[in-house]
Amino acid sequence: MTTRKLQEMIMHMPGLNLPERSEYVAWAQLVQLTSIQPAEVSELVDLGWISPKKTGAEEYLFRLKDVYRIHKLMRLVHDLEVSVYGGSIIVDLLERIEELEVEVGELKRLV
């Protein structure tokens, strides 16, 4: 799912009256989009694996990137029966590999 599709889906969620597209989703939308339990979101926040922003009303806002990360994590947890802790490490390593591949590609273009 692309960021654009995800934003469109969020904009059409019932009960939402958003004035414009945002790179952030609220706690309830994160739970709905990822199909995980609120306790699991709390656990990921406590681990420091996702770092939401706090609004003035003391509510959390999560990045759309967090939705993708949680989808990857939950696939590992459910499909491969990896623990949440192990899955979070795997997702972090996969993201680092992607970053390094981009760097290598940029360096190859310079040579």
Side-chain angles (χ1 to χ4, degrees), residues 2-110:
T2 65
T3 302
R4 184 179 177 97
K5 285 182 185 178
L6 188 56
Q7 286 174 332
E8 288 295 322
M9 197 166 102
I10 292 167
M11 290 293 290
H12 293 82
M13 289 179 106
L16 277 182
N17 188 14
L18 299 175
E20 60 185 67
R21 288 190 176 125
S22 173
E23 290 295 317
Y24 293 92
V25 295
W27 184 288
Q29 286 105 12
L30 181 80
V31 169
Q32 186 176 4
L33 290 168
T34 58
S35 301
I36 65 173
Q37 299 298 315
E40 291 172 310
V41 176
S42 294
E43 183 179 357
L44 295 174
V45 170
D46 291 344
L47 280 172
W49 195 70
I50 53 177
S51 301
K53 289 188 174 192
K54 259 190 176 176
T55 66
E58 295 297 311
E59 293 189 18
Y60 287 119
L61 293 177
F62 298 89
R63 299 171 301 158
L64 288 178
K65 181 181 178 182
D66 294 332
V67 175
Y68 294 117
R69 296 181 84 218
I70 291 171
H71 276 289
K72 286 181 188 179
L73 173 64
M74 298 320 287
R75 282 188 63 206
L76 290 167
V77 169
H78 295 297
D79 295 350
L80 300 178
E81 298 180 9
V82 174
S83 72
V84 171
Y85 299 109
S88 65
I89 292 169
I90 292 169
V91 172
D92 288 341
L93 290 172
L94 290 172
E95 288 174 351
R96 183 66 182 137
I97 289 169
E98 289 173 13
E99 291 170 7
L100 290 171
E101 287 174 340
V102 168
E103 257 184 70
V104 167
E106 290 171 0
L107 290 171
K108 282 183 178 180
R109 275 181 255 149
L110 294 173

